Amino acid sequence: MPSMNQKIFEMGFSVETVSVYLLCCSLADSDARISVKNLLGVWNATEDELNKGLNALEDRNILIRTVSDQEGNVFYRLAEFKDWV
């Protein structure tokens, strides 16, 4: 089942934040880890904009940070829709 939920388009996020969400869904659907490194490989705006989008999604419990390792790699998972705020 695809990860993407249409509700993301009704939540008032910026285009950049929705784009971050869609990229996260794409990674999840292809069984790739959702990480800053993997996102930067396909992100076409600034790293600062990526981080703002990630933070906005974390703030609404759409994206959950699971691990940050010693090398500075950050990993996420998508929350279930029922847990979004």
Side-chain angles (χ1 to χ4, degrees):
M1 182 161 106
S3 303
M4 203 258 312
N5 189 300
Q6 294 288 328
K7 182 73 174 170
I8 196 72
F9 298 108
E10 302 168 12
M11 297 183 70
F13 287 120
S14 69
V15 170
E16 292 81 11
T17 297
V18 172
S19 295
V20 172
Y21 172 76
L22 294 173
L23 288 174
C24 289
C25 291
S26 177
L27 288 174
D29 290 345
S30 65
D31 291 325
R33 291 190 76 179
I34 300 171
S35 69
V36 172
K37 181 179 179 181
N38 286 344
L39 289 166
L40 282 171
V42 292
W43 183 246
N44 62 3
T46 68
E47 187 171 350
D48 185 54
E49 288 176 304
L50 174 64
N51 288 324
K52 285 180 187 173
L54 291 169
N55 290 335
L57 294 170
E58 277 189 275
D59 288 347
R60 299 291 295 273
N61 206 41
I62 296 168
L63 201 57
I64 299 168
R65 186 182 300 229
T66 58
V67 177
S68 298
D69 65 20
Q70 292 81 6
E71 288 85 45
N73 297 308
V74 180
F75 299 93
Y76 299 92
R77 70 174 174 81
L78 292 164
E80 292 186 39
F81 172 70
K82 66 179 180 58
D83 297 326
W84 293 13
V85 292

